Amino acid sequence: MALTEQTILKQVTVKPAQSAIEVQWANQISRDDVVISETFHRKAYTQEQQAEFEAEVEGAAAYVAAVGW
């Protein structure tokens, strides 16, 4: 019974009124490939945080281009 933990990008939401992008991740713990625990984390990035967003979010360049940052 091996336990594994992984972080998965679940959702990216563009909020044009705030010129922000909100990201949701899930931390999953699995036992033998069955998820037994899942917690969610959210973070919002503004245009001033673009470098941080690009460093923390996989595929961020496509979102940046779509938003027009």
Side-chain angles (χ1 to χ4, degrees):
M1 290 199 304
L3 292 178
T4 58
E5 181 178 350
Q6 61 183 349
T7 300
I8 299 169
L9 179 64
K10 294 293 262 187
Q11 181 178 346
V12 177
T13 306
V14 176
K15 304 210 173 229
Q18 294 86 13
S19 186
I21 299 175
E22 183 179 82
V23 181
Q24 179 181 356
W25 292 273
N27 288 337
Q28 293 181 342
I29 297 183
S30 302
R31 179 185 299 136
D32 300 326
D33 297 325
V34 176
V35 176
I36 60 172
S37 176
E38 184 173 55
T39 57
F40 295 95
H41 304 275
R42 291 180 190 239
K43 185 173 182 179
Y45 300 88
T46 62
Q47 189 169 5
E48 292 79 23
Q49 297 169 304
Q50 179 179 344
E52 183 180 353
F53 173 71
E54 290 176 341
E56 294 179 352
V57 178
E58 186 176 324
Y63 297 110
V64 168
V67 173
W69 282 358

Coordinates of all heavy atoms in Angstrom, one line a residue:
M1 N 0.8 -1.2 0.0 CA 0.0 0.0 0.0 C 0.9 1.2 0.0 O 1.3 1.7 1.0 CB -0.9 0.0 1.2 CG -2.0 -1.0 1.2 SD -3.4 -0.7 2.3 CE -2.6 -0.6 3.8
A2 N 1.2 1.7 -1.2 CA 2.0 2.9 -1.3 C 1.2 4.2 -1.3 O 0.2 4.2 -2.0 CB 2.9 2.8 -2.6
L3 N 1.6 5.1 -0.6 CA 0.9 6.4 -0.6 C 1.7 7.4 -1.5 O 2.9 7.4 -1.4 CB 0.8 7.0 0.8 CG -0.1 6.3 1.8 CD1 0.0 7.0 3.2 CD2 -1.5 6.3 1.3
T4 N 1.0 8.1 -2.3 CA 1.7 9.1 -3.1 C 0.9 10.4 -3.0 O -0.3 10.5 -2.8 CB 1.7 8.7 -4.6 OG1 0.3 8.5 -5.0 CG2 2.5 7.5 -4.8
E5 N 1.7 11.5 -3.2 CA 1.1 12.9 -3.1 C 1.4 13.6 -4.4 O 2.5 13.5 -4.8 CB 1.6 13.6 -1.9 CG 1.0 15.0 -1.7 CD 1.5 15.7 -0.5 OE1 2.1 15.1 0.4 OE2 1.2 16.9 -0.4
Q6 N 0.4 14.3 -4.9 CA 0.7 15.1 -6.1 C -0.2 16.4 -6.1 O -1.2 16.4 -5.5 CB 0.5 14.3 -7.4 CG -0.9 13.8 -7.6 CD -1.1 13.0 -8.8 OE1 -0.2 12.9 -9.6 NE2 -2.2 12.3 -9.0
T7 N 0.4 17.4 -6.7 CA -0.4 18.7 -6.9 C -0.8 18.8 -8.3 O 0.0 18.6 -9.2 CB 0.5 19.9 -6.5 OG1 0.9 19.7 -5.1 CG2 -0.2 21.2 -6.6
I8 N -2.1 19.1 -8.5 CA -2.7 19.1 -9.8 C -3.3 20.5 -10.1 O -4.1 21.0 -9.2 CB -3.7 18.0 -10.0 CG1 -3.1 16.6 -9.8 CG2 -4.4 18.1 -11.3 CD1 -4.1 15.5 -9.6
L9 N -3.0 21.1 -11.2 CA -3.7 22.3 -11.6 C -5.1 21.9 -12.0 O -5.4 21.1 -12.9 CB -3.0 22.9 -12.8 CG -3.6 24.2 -13.3 CD1 -3.5 25.3 -12.3 CD2 -2.8 24.6 -14.6
K10 N -6.1 22.5 -11.3 CA -7.5 22.1 -11.5 C -8.3 23.1 -12.4 O -9.1 22.8 -13.2 CB -8.3 21.9 -10.2 CG -7.8 20.8 -9.4 CD -8.1 19.5 -10.0 CE -9.3 18.9 -9.4 NZ -9.6 17.5 -9.9
Q11 N -8.0 24.4 -12.1 CA -8.8 25.5 -12.8 C -8.0 26.8 -12.9 O -7.3 27.1 -12.0 CB -10.1 25.7 -12.0 CG -11.0 26.7 -12.6 CD -12.3 26.8 -11.7 OE1 -12.6 25.9 -10.9 NE2 -13.1 27.8 -12.0
V12 N -8.2 27.4 -14.0 CA -7.7 28.8 -14.2 C -8.8 29.7 -14.7 O -9.5 29.3 -15.6 CB -6.5 28.8 -15.2 CG1 -6.0 30.2 -15.5 CG2 -5.4 27.9 -14.8
T13 N -9.1 30.7 -13.9 CA -10.2 31.6 -14.2 C -9.7 33.0 -14.5 O -9.0 33.6 -13.6 CB -11.2 31.7 -13.0 OG1 -11.6 30.3 -12.7 CG2 -12.4 32.5 -13.4
V14 N -10.0 33.6 -15.6 CA -9.6 35.0 -15.9 C -10.7 35.9 -15.4 O -11.9 35.7 -15.7 CB -9.4 35.1 -17.4 CG1 -9.1 36.6 -17.8 CG2 -8.3 34.2 -18.0
K15 N -10.3 36.9 -14.7 CA -11.2 37.9 -14.1 C -10.9 39.2 -14.7 O -10.1 40.0 -14.2 CB -11.1 37.9 -12.6 CG -11.3 36.5 -12.0 CD -11.9 36.7 -10.6 CE -12.2 35.3 -10.1 NZ -13.5 35.2 -9.6
P16 N -11.5 39.5 -15.9 CA -11.2 40.8 -16.6 C -11.5 42.0 -15.9 O -10.8 43.0 -16.0 CB -12.0 40.7 -17.9 CG -12.8 39.5 -17.8 CD -12.5 38.7 -16.6
A17 N -12.5 42.1 -15.1 CA -12.9 43.3 -14.3 C -11.8 43.7 -13.3 O -11.6 44.8 -13.1 CB -14.2 43.1 -13.6
Q18 N -11.1 42.7 -12.8 CA -10.0 42.9 -11.8 C -8.7 42.9 -12.5 O -7.7 43.0 -11.8 CB -10.1 41.9 -10.7 CG -11.3 42.0 -9.8 CD -12.5 41.2 -10.3 OE1 -12.3 40.4 -11.2 NE2 -13.6 41.5 -9.8
S19 N -8.6 42.6 -13.8 CA -7.4 42.3 -14.5 C -6.5 41.3 -13.7 O -5.4 41.5 -13.4 CB -6.6 43.6 -14.7 OG -5.5 43.4 -15.5
A20 N -7.2 40.2 -13.4 CA -6.5 39.2 -12.6 C -6.8 37.8 -13.1 O -7.7 37.6 -13.9 CB -7.0 39.2 -11.1
I21 N -6.0 36.9 -12.7 CA -6.1 35.4 -13.0 C -6.2 34.7 -11.7 O -5.3 34.8 -10.9 CB -5.0 34.9 -13.9 CG1 -5.0 35.7 -15.2 CG2 -5.2 33.4 -14.2 CD1 -3.8 35.4 -16.1
E22 N -7.2 33.9 -11.5 CA -7.3 33.0 -10.3 C -7.0 31.6 -10.7 O -7.5 31.1 -11.7 CB -8.7 33.1 -9.7 CG -8.9 32.4 -8.4 CD -10.3 32.5 -7.9 OE1 -11.1 31.7 -8.3 OE2 -10.5 33.3 -7.0
V23 N -6.2 31.0 -9.9 CA -5.7 29.6 -10.1 C -6.1 28.7 -8.9 O -6.0 29.1 -7.8 CB -4.2 29.5 -10.3 CG1 -3.7 28.1 -10.6 CG2 -3.8 30.5 -11.4
Q24 N -6.6 27.5 -9.2 CA -7.0 26.5 -8.2 C -6.1 25.3 -8.4 O -6.1 24.7 -9.5 CB -8.4 26.2 -8.3 CG -8.8 25.2 -7.2 CD -10.3 24.8 -7.3 OE1 -11.1 25.4 -8.0 NE2 -10.7 23.9 -6.5
W25 N -5.5 24.8 -7.4 CA -4.8 23.6 -7.4 C -5.4 22.6 -6.4 O -6.1 23.0 -5.5 CB -3.3 23.7 -6.9 CG -2.4 24.5 -7.8 CD1 -1.7 24.1 -8.8 CD2 -2.2 25.9 -7.7 NE1 -1.0 25.1 -9.4 CE2 -1.2 26.3 -8.7 CE3 -2.6 26.9 -6.8 CZ2 -0.7 27.5 -8.9 CZ3 -2.1 28.2 -7.0 CH2 -1.2 28.5 -8.0
A26 N -5.2 21.3 -6.6 CA -5.6 20.3 -5.7 C -4.4 19.5 -5.3 O -3.6 19.1 -6.1 CB -6.6 19.3 -6.3
N27 N -4.2 19.3 -4.0 CA -3.2 18.4 -3.4 C -4.0 17.1 -3.2 O -4.9 17.0 -2.4 CB -2.6 18.9 -2.1 CG -1.7 20.1 -2.4 OD1 -1.2 20.2 -3.4 ND2 -1.5 20.9 -1.3
Q28 N -3.5 16.0 -3.9 CA -4.2 14.7 -3.8 C -3.2 13.7 -3.1 O -2.0 13.7 -3.5 CB -4.6 14.2 -5.1 CG -5.7 15.0 -5.8 CD -6.1 14.4 -7.1 OE1 -5.3 13.6 -7.7 NE2 -7.2 14.8 -7.6
I29 N -3.8 12.9 -2.2 CA -3.1 11.8 -1.7 C -3.8 10.5 -2.1 O -5.0 10.4 -2.0 CB -3.0 11.9 -0.1 CG1 -2.2 13.1 0.3 CG2 -2.4 10.6 0.5 CD1 -2.0 13.3 1.8
S30 N -3.0 9.6 -2.7 CA -3.6 8.4 -3.3 C -2.9 7.2 -2.6 O -1.8 7.2 -2.2 CB -3.3 8.3 -4.8 OG -3.8 9.4 -5.4
R31 N -3.7 6.2 -2.5 CA -3.2 4.8 -2.1 C -3.5 3.9 -3.2 O -4.7 3.7 -3.6 CB -3.9 4.4 -0.8 CG -3.4 3.0 -0.3 CD -4.1 2.5 0.9 NE -4.0 3.3 2.0 CZ -5.0 3.7 2.9 NH1 -6.2 3.2 2.6 NH2 -4.7 4.5 3.9
D32 N -2.5 3.3 -3.8 CA -2.7 2.3 -4.9 C -3.5 2.9 -6.0 O -4.5 2.3 -6.5 CB -3.2 1.0 -4.4 CG -2.4 0.3 -3.3 OD1 -1.1 0.5 -3.4 OD2 -2.9 -0.3 -2.4
D33 N -3.2 4.2 -6.4 CA -3.9 4.9 -7.5 C -5.3 5.2 -7.2 O -6.1 5.6 -8.1 CB -3.8 4.1 -8.8 CG -2.3 3.9 -9.2 OD1 -1.5 4.9 -9.0 OD2 -2.0 2.9 -9.8
V34 N -5.8 5.2 -6.0 CA -7.1 5.6 -5.6 C -7.0 6.9 -4.7 O -6.3 6.8 -3.6 CB -7.9 4.5 -4.8 CG1 -9.2 5.0 -4.3 CG2 -8.0 3.3 -5.7
V35 N -7.6 8.0 -5.1 CA -7.5 9.2 -4.3 C -8.2 9.0 -3.0 O -9.4 8.7 -2.9 CB -8.1 10.4 -5.1 CG1 -8.1 11.7 -4.2 CG2 -7.3 10.6 -6.4
I36 N -7.5 9.2 -1.9 CA -8.1 9.1 -0.5 C -8.3 10.4 0.2 O -9.0 10.5 1.2 CB -7.4 8.1 0.3 CG1 -5.9 8.5 0.6 CG2 -7.4 6.7 -0.3 CD1 -5.2 7.7 1.6
S37 N -7.6 11.4 -0.3 CA -7.7 12.8 0.3 C -7.4 13.8 -0.8 O -6.5 13.6 -1.7 CB -6.7 12.9 1.4 OG -6.7 14.2 1.9
E38 N -8.2 14.9 -0.8 CA -7.9 16.0 -1.7 C -8.3 17.3 -1.0 O -9.3 17.5 -0.4 CB -8.8 15.8 -2.9 CG -8.6 16.8 -4.0 CD -9.4 16.4 -5.3 OE1 -10.7 16.3 -5.2 OE2 -8.8 16.3 -6.3
T39 N -7.3 18.3 -1.1 CA -7.5 19.6 -0.6 C -7.2 20.6 -1.7 O -6.4 20.3 -2.5 CB -6.6 19.9 0.6 OG1 -5.2 19.7 0.2 CG2 -6.9 19.0 1.8
F40 N -8.0 21.7 -1.6 CA -7.8 22.7 -2.7 C -7.2 24.0 -2.2 O -7.4 24.4 -1.0 CB -9.2 23.0 -3.3 CG -9.9 21.9 -3.9 CD1 -10.8 21.1 -3.3 CD2 -9.6 21.6 -5.3 CE1 -11.3 20.0 -3.9 CE2 -10.2 20.5 -5.9 CZ -11.1 19.7 -5.2
H41 N -6.4 24.6 -3.1 CA -5.8 25.9 -2.8 C -6.0 26.8 -3.9 O -6.0 26.4 -5.1 CB -4.3 25.7 -2.6 CG -4.0 24.7 -1.5 ND1 -3.9 25.0 -0.2 CD2 -3.7 23.4 -1.6 CE1 -3.6 23.9 0.5 NE2 -3.5 22.9 -0.3
R42 N -6.3 28.1 -3.6 CA -6.5 29.1 -4.7 C -5.6 30.3 -4.5 O -5.2 30.6 -3.3 CB -8.0 29.6 -4.6 CG -9.0 28.6 -5.0 CD -10.4 29.3 -5.0 NE -11.4 28.2 -5.1 CZ -12.3 28.2 -6.1 NH1 -12.3 29.2 -6.9 NH2 -13.1 27.3 -6.2
K43 N -5.2 30.9 -5.6 CA -4.4 32.1 -5.5 C -4.8 32.9 -6.7 O -5.0 32.4 -7.8 CB -2.9 31.7 -5.5 CG -2.0 32.9 -5.4 CD -0.6 32.4 -5.2 CE 0.4 33.6 -5.0 NZ 1.8 33.2 -4.9
A44 N -4.9 34.2 -6.5 CA -5.1 35.2 -7.5 C -3.9 36.0 -7.8 O -3.1 36.3 -6.9 CB -6.3 36.1 -7.1
Y45 N -3.6 36.2 -9.1 CA -2.5 37.0 -9.6 C -3.0 38.2 -10.3 O -3.9 38.1 -11.2 CB -1.6 36.2 -10.5 CG -1.1 34.9 -9.9 CD1 -1.8 33.7 -10.0 CD2 0.2 34.8 -9.4 CE1 -1.3 32.5 -9.4 CE2 0.7 33.7 -8.8 CZ -0.1 32.5 -8.9 OH 0.4 31.4 -8.3
T46 N -2.4 39.4 -10.1 CA -2.7 40.6 -10.8 C -1.6 40.7 -11.9 O -0.6 40.0 -11.9 CB -2.7 41.8 -9.9 OG1 -1.4 42.0 -9.3 CG2 -3.8 41.7 -8.9
Q47 N -1.7 41.7 -12.7 CA -0.7 41.9 -13.8 C 0.7 42.2 -13.2 O 1.7 41.8 -13.8 CB -1.2 43.0 -14.7 CG -0.3 43.2 -15.9 CD -0.9 44.1 -17.0 OE1 -1.9 44.7 -16.7 NE2 -0.3 44.2 -18.1
E48 N 0.7 42.9 -12.1 CA 2.0 43.2 -11.4 C 2.7 41.9 -10.9 O 3.9 41.9 -10.7 CB 1.8 44.1 -10.2 CG 1.4 45.5 -10.6 CD -0.1 45.6 -11.0 OE1 -0.9 44.8 -10.5 OE2 -0.5 46.6 -11.7
Q49 N 1.9 40.8 -10.8 CA 2.5 39.5 -10.3 C 2.7 38.5 -11.5 O 2.8 37.3 -11.3 CB 1.6 38.9 -9.3 CG 1.4 39.7 -8.1 CD 0.3 39.2 -7.2 OE1 -0.9 39.1 -7.7 NE2 0.6 38.9 -6.0
Q50 N 2.8 39.0 -12.7 CA 3.0 38.2 -13.9 C 4.2 37.3 -13.8 O 4.0 36.1 -14.1 CB 3.0 39.0 -15.1 CG 3.2 38.2 -16.4 CD 3.3 39.0 -17.7 OE1 2.9 40.2 -17.7 NE2 3.7 38.4 -18.7
A51 N 5.3 37.8 -13.4 CA 6.5 36.9 -13.3 C 6.3 35.8 -12.3 O 6.7 34.6 -12.5 CB 7.7 37.7 -12.8
E52 N 5.6 36.1 -11.2 CA 5.3 35.0 -10.2 C 4.4 34.0 -10.7 O 4.5 32.8 -10.6 CB 4.7 35.7 -8.9 CG 4.4 34.7 -7.8 CD 3.9 35.5 -6.6 OE1 3.8 36.7 -6.6 OE2 3.4 34.8 -5.6
F53 N 3.3 34.5 -11.5 CA 2.4 33.6 -12.1 C 3.0 32.7 -13.1 O 2.8 31.4 -13.1 CB 1.3 34.4 -12.8 CG 0.3 33.7 -13.6 CD1 -0.6 32.9 -13.1 CD2 0.3 33.8 -15.0 CE1 -1.6 32.2 -13.8 CE2 -0.6 33.1 -15.8 CZ -1.5 32.3 -15.2
E54 N 3.9 33.2 -13.9 CA 4.6 32.4 -14.9 C 5.5 31.3 -14.3 O 5.7 30.3 -14.8 CB 5.4 33.3 -15.9 CG 4.5 34.1 -16.8 CD 5.2 35.0 -17.7 OE1 6.4 35.4 -17.4 OE2 4.6 35.4 -18.7
A55 N 6.1 31.7 -13.1 CA 7.0 30.7 -12.4 C 6.2 29.6 -11.7 O 6.7 28.5 -11.6 CB 7.8 31.5 -11.4
E56 N 5.0 29.9 -11.3 CA 4.2 28.9 -10.5 C 3.2 28.1 -11.2 O 2.8 27.1 -10.7 CB 3.5 29.7 -9.3 CG 4.5 30.3 -8.3 CD 3.8 31.1 -7.2 OE1 2.5 31.2 -7.3 OE2 4.5 31.5 -6.3
V57 N 2.8 28.5 -12.4 CA 1.7 27.9 -13.1 C 2.2 27.3 -14.4 O 2.8 28.0 -15.3 CB 0.5 28.9 -13.4 CG1 -0.6 28.2 -14.2 CG2 0.0 29.4 -12.1
E58 N 2.0 26.0 -14.6 CA 2.4 25.3 -15.8 C 1.5 25.8 -17.0 O 0.3 25.9 -16.9 CB 2.2 23.8 -15.6 CG 2.7 23.0 -16.8 CD 2.6 21.5 -16.5 OE1 2.7 21.1 -15.3 OE2 2.3 20.8 -17.5
G59 N 2.2 26.2 -18.1 CA 1.4 26.7 -19.2 C 1.0 28.1 -19.1 O 0.1 28.6 -19.8
A60 N 1.6 28.9 -18.2 CA 1.2 30.2 -17.9 C 1.3 31.2 -19.2 O 0.5 32.1 -19.3 CB 2.0 30.8 -16.8
A61 N 2.2 30.9 -20.0 CA 2.4 31.8 -21.2 C 1.1 31.9 -22.0 O 0.8 33.0 -22.5 CB 3.6 31.3 -22.0
A62 N 0.4 30.8 -22.2 CA -0.8 30.8 -23.0 C -1.9 31.7 -22.3 O -2.6 32.4 -23.0 CB -1.3 29.4 -23.2
Y63 N -2.0 31.6 -21.0 CA -3.0 32.4 -20.2 C -2.6 33.9 -20.3 O -3.5 34.7 -20.5 CB -3.1 32.0 -18.8 CG -3.6 30.6 -18.7 CD1 -2.8 29.5 -18.2 CD2 -4.9 30.3 -19.0 CE1 -3.2 28.2 -18.1 CE2 -5.4 28.9 -18.8 CZ -4.5 27.9 -18.4 OH -5.0 26.7 -18.3
V64 N -1.3 34.2 -20.2 CA -0.8 35.6 -20.3 C -1.2 36.2 -21.6 O -1.7 37.3 -21.7 CB 0.7 35.7 -20.0 CG1 1.2 37.0 -20.4 CG2 1.0 35.4 -18.5
A65 N -1.0 35.4 -22.7 CA -1.3 35.9 -24.0 C -2.8 36.1 -24.2 O -3.2 37.1 -24.8 CB -0.8 34.9 -25.1
A66 N -3.6 35.2 -23.6 CA -5.1 35.3 -23.8 C -5.6 36.5 -23.0 O -6.5 37.2 -23.5 CB -5.7 34.0 -23.2
V67 N -5.0 36.9 -21.9 CA -5.4 38.0 -21.1 C -4.9 39.3 -21.7 O -5.5 40.3 -21.5 CB -5.0 37.8 -19.6 CG1 -5.3 39.0 -18.8 CG2 -5.6 36.6 -19.0
G68 N -3.8 39.2 -22.3 CA -3.2 40.4 -22.9 C -2.3 41.2 -22.0 O -2.1 42.4 -22.1
W69 N -1.7 40.4 -21.1 CA -0.7 41.1 -20.1 C 0.5 41.4 -20.9 O 1.4 41.1 -21.3 CB -0.4 40.2 -19.0 CG -1.5 40.2 -17.9 CD1 -2.6 40.9 -17.9 CD2 -1.5 39.4 -16.7 NE1 -3.3 40.6 -16.8 CE2 -2.7 39.7 -16.0 CE3 -0.6 38.5 -16.2 CZ2 -3.0 39.1 -14.8 CZ3 -1.0 37.9 -15.0 CH2 -2.1 38.2 -14.3

